[in-house]
Amino acid sequence: MTENSQAQPAANPELPTQYAPAEVEGKLYERWVERGYFEADEKSGKPPYTIVIPPPNVTGSLHLGHAFEHTIIDALTRRKRMQGYETLWQPGMDHAGIATQNVVERELAKEGKSRHDLGRTDFVERVWQWKEESGGQISGQMRRLGDGVAWSRERFTMDEGLSAAVQTIFKRLFDDGLIYRAERIINWCPRCLTAISDIEVEYQDDNGELVSIKYGDGDETLVVATTRAETMLGDTAVAVHPDDARYAHLVGKRIKLPLTDRSIPVVADEHVDPEFGTGAVKVTPAHDPNDFEIGRRHDLPNITVMDERAVITVPGPFQGLDRFEARSTIVAALRAEGRIVAEKRPYVHSVGHCSRCKTTVEPRLSLQWWVKVGPLAKAAGDAVRDGRVTIHPKEMESRYFAWIDNLNDWNISRQLWWGHRIPVWHGPNGETVAVGPNDEPPTGEGWSQDTDVLDTWFSSGLWPFSTLGWPEQTPSLEKFYPNSVLVTGYDILFFWVARMMMFGLYAMDGTPPFHTIALHGMVRDEHGKKMSKTFGNVVNPLDWMDKYGADAVRFTLARGANPGVDVPIGEDWVQGSRNFANKVWNATRFAMMNGATVEGPLPDASQMSATDRWILSRLNETVAQVDALYEDYQFAKLSDALFHFAWDEVFDWYVELSKTTFFAGGEQAKVSGRVLGEVLDVTLRLLHPIVPFVTETLWTTLTGKESVVVADWPADSGFRDQAAEREIEHLQQVVTEVRRFRADQGLQPGQKVPGRLDLSATPLAAHETAIRQLLRLQEEGDAFQATATLPVAGATVALDLSGTIDVPAERKRLTKDRDAAEKEKQQATAKLGNEAFLAKAPDNVVDKIRGRLAKAEADIERLTAQLAALPEG
């Protein structure tokens, strides 16, 4: 380890020579759980701190996005626990209606069966069976990552208590006139056979076709363009703008609809853009949301032309065809009749796809249940505007308002069997009765429960309070609601956050569900590309944990966590974090072997060396900095601050500077040993929320105490010593500059050379032995020749490089490099002096040339100094 390693005492037998994450992580986690460290007591007098887990799907497994989000939440809750808060990280899973039903239906398909073969009751039972046997593997993976959740409080969106909450809020909304049933255009997935919400539709550019079709005959002819020719079978009008003179003579008349025996009216509607295409549009109210509104304004009939599987149902030659088969067949039939005026293929346009199965979504007229979101959305917007809820980072507020202020009514019904069945009974005479959890549903002939289930986001929107026992007024609800902060990705700001805000304010008498919404970005690969199976760049975090340990994965993710910004991550970075964990381990082990201790109070500052006072001053500054960054959710910055303090200042500088003191022994070694023990104690506690496993092992060994999980969070003692900080900064400048010169001369880091050190003009005389060791300087000796003299920050360092470098060759190399830098400077200066160039060149090009000029000038200065330092000859 060092040239004086023989002076070290025997290694501490409690700390192995190498850190092996796989041997300690699982055991440590189970110990934490067994001791109840992560549980929360509503009877405690401590102030509450609550975060709910964004409930992962029961079908899911841990991916990097989960690992990223969970690392942030775990760090926040671990720190608050150490600060003395009654901390609850509420765990649980979402039943994930469509995704789970799809999984079980695929399992049935392997047996040659469908859900209809089983019937609703048996199918739902089968899903529950799958959930118990195969669902929820993510729970075990969360333990691997180190998630400090209150496992005894784990909830599931379909458990008895949460189901009661769903029924309760549905009935309240229904009774208040905020839930209604109506026939509207919805997004329909022909594969999942259910309605899906607008935010569950993913749009992508597809290659399609644009065909222009002639409607009518003779003088009563119009041309319309469409990408969905199959829907013309359901056209009930053609619309033109009221001010479009081209078609004024046709408004109010009826024209022949091709391929059918129907005629349809020409209507005037301001929705039509006369400048787009021909200025005439086909109107299919049952298969397009805009057409539906035109149809309502003009009292047009709604003709549905497809069934739930997107198969044509209109009697005639196209009946029974899939929508895409029908499209090409209908275009061929129109072409045969001379009705096709123009065709464009391929025609790239944006098409909606089901986010679950990627099937092209079909707009479809359907009878569905809706939430009237107007008053709920206004309350959710007001809560942010008046400061009751803070969105972090603040620039995300505009996205929130753009969504919440323009919400359409929410379609909450799904045509599935797995989920919360809508608690409404329909009577024989059209009666509709909503039933709460303690109500008896109506019985008798003709009464039946609605067959639809609720959108998954309906139940997860209750998550911040339903998990605490609502609608019962439980002690947990009283203690832990509202939540302190919601940590989630900006991608579900609209899916989940908006719904929790609306439901929380409604159900909890105007109290929002959380004080702060902390939004993070998405995890991407090291090149900034979205992780996707299609791209082949998806990473299983468990693989990285197996190779490098959970701490390495967590620290890598935390170092990339800038609020609201996407996080690039590559395996090289995880390796670097593993190296950091090893550095912490090895340096702590070395320190403990050399007298680092936490026993007794800190010595008085008057007993400490300048190096001791410097590191304590830097330690307290780091504590203050980390605290401020935590409060601002700046995980990347606080992780970087901890990295550089631990690696650079503690391990690379303080430990190295203190080695001479430790090896010399005596009272000063005891003082520095106690200071080093304090620094390690605090540093390990600061690091613990992000890298819990390695810090737990080291801290308990160092202190002999129970667990860092329940240790006190470090406090800034206020100790600062600016004079000591300036002194050590001065020392660092001397050492850094001479090390740079050595490297420039091609000397190896451990290569020793004779050197003369003159510190008389500096305050560094007490550090001469340490500086010599850091610079690998031997004593001068009788044959010493000062072949290179370096004036650095008031100190003078003379080196004898004879025999260590080829001076003529080095002079030739440096001269060649300086000549190249001079040429680069001349070229950059000439370009920047050319007015014509500056007038035409883009700003980024000009900035790049200015950067080249600055670098060339710095290189010339550096190389000139190196040449001057070389001996003559």
Side-chain angles (χ1 to χ4, degrees):
M1 186 176 292
T2 69
E3 58 186 298
N4 296 313
S5 59
Q6 67 274 10
Q8 299 169 7
N12 189 318
E14 295 184 73
L15 213 53
T17 56
Q18 291 185 328
Y19 177 50
E23 295 178 12
V24 301
E25 290 178 350
K27 295 175 184 177
L28 284 182
Y29 189 84
E30 290 309 313
R31 185 187 308 162
W32 294 334
V33 173
E34 288 168 6
R35 292 180 177 178
Y37 292 154
F38 305 141
E39 296 302 323
D41 181 6
E42 60 265 12
K43 297 177 182 177
S44 161
K46 299 177 182 178
Y49 185 82
T50 315
I51 295 181
V52 293
I53 194 171
N57 288 352
V58 68
T59 59
S61 59
L62 191 74
H63 56 64
L64 270 178
H66 289 128
F68 173 53
E69 186 168 78
H70 290 198
T71 294
I72 294 174
I73 299 175
D74 197 41
L76 288 171
T77 52
R78 284 179 182 269
R79 172 174 174 261
K80 285 296 182 180
R81 189 178 292 111
M82 295 171 75
Q83 286 182 314
Y85 286 79
E86 194 60 43
T87 303
L88 170 62
W89 181 7
Q90 172 66 52
M93 284 184 292
D94 193 282
H95 66 279
I98 297 176
T100 306
Q101 179 156 320
N102 283 348
V103 167
V104 178
E105 286 197 82
R106 283 196 295 269
E107 293 296 314
L108 283 174
K110 295 176 184 177
E111 304 171 16
K113 297 179 181 178
S114 73
R115 60 181 164 123
H116 299 286
D117 294 321
L118 273 66
R120 183 168 193 147
T121 301
D122 288 346
F123 176 77
V124 170
E125 180 60 36
R126 180 72 173 261
V127 180
W128 275 109
Q129 180 183 340
W130 176 89
K131 186 261 180 186
E132 295 303 320
E133 293 175 358
S134 307
Q137 62 175 315
I138 200 169
S139 297
Q141 296 164 346
M142 287 166 59
R143 293 170 181 263
R144 284 285 311 277
L145 188 64
D147 288 0
V149 300
W151 286 113
S152 70
R153 293 172 174 263
E154 188 175 12
R155 303 303 299 269
F156 180 55
T157 49
M158 288 276 287
D159 69 28
E160 185 177 346
L162 270 64
S163 294
V166 167
Q167 284 183 268
T168 299
I169 200 162
F170 184 99
K171 181 169 173 54
R172 289 189 187 179
L173 289 164
F174 182 88
D175 291 345
D176 286 346
L178 295 175
I179 284 182
Y180 64 95
R181 198 180 191 210
E183 196 173 44
R184 301 277 177 82
I185 291 285
I186 47 89
N187 304 296
W188 181 265
C189 176
R191 161 61 186 82
C192 299
L193 299 180
T194 182
I196 58 176
S197 65
D198 291 344
I199 51 179
E200 291 170 304
V201 178
E202 295 178 347
Y203 287 89
Q204 67 183 47
D205 286 342
D206 286 356
N207 285 330
E209 61 181 356
L210 181 68
V211 294
S212 297
I213 309 168
K214 182 173 66 174
Y215 282 27
D217 295 298
D219 293 335
E220 297 180 353
T221 297
L222 286 169
V223 175
V224 299
T226 181
T227 58
R228 303 169 67 222
E230 70 279 7
T231 63
M232 67 168 291
L233 300 175
D235 286 359
T236 56
V238 173
V240 297
H241 193 275
D243 299 332
D244 194 333
R246 294 172 295 175
Y247 306 118
H249 67 289
L250 291 177
V251 173
K253 293 185 177 181
R254 301 183 73 84
I255 61 174
K256 179 76 166 58
L257 178 64
L259 305 182
T260 74
D261 58 0
R262 293 191 292 119
S263 64
I264 57 176
V266 177
V267 299
D269 194 280
E270 291 189 352
H271 170 76
V272 179
D273 181 358
E275 302 298 324
F276 183 77
T278 64
V281 297
K282 59 192 288 296
V283 181
T284 320
H287 291 277
D288 184 274
N290 292 323
D291 292 3
F292 177 75
E293 295 302 325
I294 293 175
R296 291 177 69 178
R297 287 193 288 271
H298 298 276
D299 197 25
L300 300 174
N302 302 315
I303 300 177
T304 300
V305 301
M306 295 178 220
D307 66 12
E308 61 182 8
R309 297 182 186 275
V311 171
I312 301 298
T313 58
V314 178
F318 312 112
Q319 186 174 13
L321 295 179
D322 170 80
R323 55 183 164 163
F324 300 120
E325 295 174 325
R327 181 176 302 171
S328 58
T329 306
I330 288 172
V331 169
L334 289 167
R335 191 183 300 114
E337 289 191 2
R339 293 281 178 177
I340 299 296
V341 176
E343 298 179 68
K344 184 176 182 181
R345 294 188 186 88
Y347 179 72
V348 179
H349 61 135
S350 181
V351 177
H353 295 260
C354 172
S355 62
R356 298 293 182 189
C357 70
K358 311 309 176 189
T359 299
T360 300
V361 168
E362 189 65 38
R364 186 169 188 257
L365 188 63
S366 181
L367 184 62
Q368 301 282 341
W369 289 95
W370 305 81
V371 171
K372 188 181 295 183
V373 299
L376 303 176
K378 182 181 184 303
D382 290 346
V384 175
R385 287 187 169 94
D386 64 25
R388 282 175 290 158
V389 177
T390 300
I391 294 180
H392 188 89
K394 188 172 178 60
E395 53 265 27
M396 286 287 180
E397 278 187 5
S398 59
R399 295 183 64 176
Y400 175 78
F401 291 135
W403 178 261
I404 207 77
D405 293 345
N406 296 284
L407 269 181
N408 295 317
D409 284 358
W410 172 19
N411 171 19
I412 57 171
S413 46
R414 299 291 179 266
Q415 288 64 55
L416 304 171
W417 287 355
W418 171 247
H420 294 102
R421 193 164 173 180
I422 288 179
V424 166
W425 267 253
H426 302 287
N429 299 311
E431 305 96 328
T432 302
V433 177
V435 175
N438 299 316
D439 299 336
E440 288 293 331
T443 57
E445 186 176 351
W447 283 95
S448 62
Q449 186 176 358
D450 198 284
T451 57
D452 288 352
V453 300
L454 287 162
D455 178 10
T456 297
W457 297 105
F458 190 95
S459 52
S460 59
L462 314 179
W463 194 247
F465 51 94
S466 63
T467 52
L468 298 174
W470 187 91
E472 302 299 323
Q473 295 303 305
T474 64
S476 289
L477 188 65
E478 183 178 350
K479 178 78 172 182
F480 296 112
Y481 187 91
N483 296 181
S484 305
V485 60
L486 173 75
V487 176
T488 192
Y490 64 69
D491 60 323
I492 58 173
L493 179 63
F494 316 129
F495 282 87
W496 190 42
V497 179
R499 282 150 173 72
M500 286 190 290
M501 286 286 284
M502 290 191 294
F503 280 170
L505 289 158
Y506 173 78
M508 301 301 292
D509 300 321
T511 302
F514 19 73
H515 298 301
T516 300
I517 301 168
L519 298 171
H520 59 73
M522 303 297 101
V523 177
R524 297 180 176 269
D525 72 11
E526 58 194 306
H527 306 295
K529 197 172 185 179
K530 179 181 178 180
M531 287 192 174
S532 161
K533 291 179 181 178
T534 304
F535 300 146
N537 60 353
V538 174
V539 174
N540 183 346
L542 297 175
D543 292 341
W544 281 353
M545 283 191 267
D546 288 340
K547 290 176 70 174
Y548 307 112
D551 285 334
V553 174
R554 290 170 62 116
F555 196 65
T556 303
L557 292 165
R559 289 193 78 181
N562 289 299
V565 178
D566 288 348
V567 183
I569 183 172
E571 188 167 358
D572 288 350
W573 305 338
V574 186
Q575 291 177 4
S577 295
R578 187 268 314 273
N579 295 343
F580 175 64
N582 288 341
K583 180 80 169 181
V584 174
W585 180 275
N586 293 332
T588 303
R589 183 173 178 273
F590 170 80
M592 292 174 62
M593 288 161 42
N594 287 277
T597 179
V598 295
E599 296 178 7
L602 272 175
D604 188 77
S606 61
Q607 299 176 267
M608 298 179 192
S609 66
T611 307
D612 294 333
R613 298 194 304 276
W614 163 74
I615 197 63
L616 286 177
S617 184
R618 292 296 308 129
L619 176 68
N620 281 288
E621 179 61 34
T622 300
V623 171
Q625 182 183 10
V626 167
D627 273 335
L629 292 169
Y630 259 114
E631 295 305 315
D632 199 33
Y633 304 98
Q634 297 280 357
F635 283 90
K637 290 182 179 179
L638 73 88
S639 299
D640 246 20
L642 287 169
F643 175 88
H644 289 296
F645 175 72
W647 190 305
D648 299 342
E649 298 187 277
V650 179
F651 303 142
D652 278 359
W653 284 105
Y654 181 72
V655 170
E656 292 297 321
L657 287 170
S658 300
K659 281 181 179 178
T660 53
T661 303
F662 291 139
F663 297 149
E667 286 303 312
Q668 192 56 52
K670 292 180 181 178
V671 170
S672 293
R674 179 64 188 90
V675 169
L676 180 53
E678 181 75 9
V679 171
L680 289 174
D681 171 17
V682 172
T683 302
L684 291 171
R685 282 186 280 152
L686 288 173
L687 283 168
H688 172 73
I690 299 174
V691 284
F693 294 108
V694 67
T695 52
E696 171 80 341
T697 306
L698 293 174
W699 189 84
T700 53
T701 305
L702 172 70
T703 65
K705 295 180 180 178
E706 179 185 349
S707 173
V708 69
V709 177
V710 289
D712 291 337
W713 180 253
D716 176 6
S717 71
F719 178 83
R720 300 289 191 281
D721 191 323
Q722 299 300 324
E725 290 201 37
R726 287 192 296 271
E727 184 173 323
I728 301 305
E729 286 170 7
H730 198 156
L731 180 153
Q732 290 171 326
Q733 187 177 358
V734 171
V735 171
T736 300
E737 287 299 318
V738 176
R739 280 177 170 172
R740 184 179 292 119
F741 175 78
R742 284 173 52 102
D744 288 340
Q745 306 310 311
L747 297 176
Q748 296 300 313
Q751 186 175 351
K752 296 178 181 178
V753 295
R756 179 185 301 146
L757 194 59
D758 182 1
L759 302 172
S760 58
T762 74
L764 303 179
H767 302 284
E768 180 168 353
T769 302
I771 292 173
R772 280 187 168 277
Q773 287 196 344
L774 291 170
L775 293 177
R776 300 295 189 264
L777 299 182
Q778 295 175 325
E779 295 298 329
E780 301 170 39
D782 296 335
F784 179 80
Q785 298 179 40
T787 59
T789 302
L790 305 172
V792 183
T796 302
V797 183
L799 304 176
D800 182 354
L801 302 180
S802 58
T804 60
I805 61 171
D806 183 339
V807 174
E810 186 64 16
R811 184 177 296 281
K812 183 177 180 181
R813 182 184 71 83
L814 293 173
T815 301
K816 181 180 178 181
D817 288 349
R818 186 176 63 178
D819 290 346
E822 290 279 9
K823 185 176 180 180
E824 175 74 6
K825 178 183 176 182
Q826 291 171 7
Q827 291 175 344
T829 301
K831 282 192 174 182
L832 293 173
N834 185 334
E835 293 297 333
F837 169 77
L838 292 177
K840 295 180 180 179
D843 290 345
N844 65 318
V845 173
V846 175
D847 289 342
K848 186 176 181 180
I849 294 172
R850 285 179 179 143
R852 284 168 49 191
L853 175 60
K855 182 179 184 302
E857 289 174 340
D859 287 345
I860 292 167
E861 183 179 355
R862 173 177 58 82
L863 293 164
T864 300
Q866 290 177 24
L867 282 164
L870 284 175
E872 296 295 329

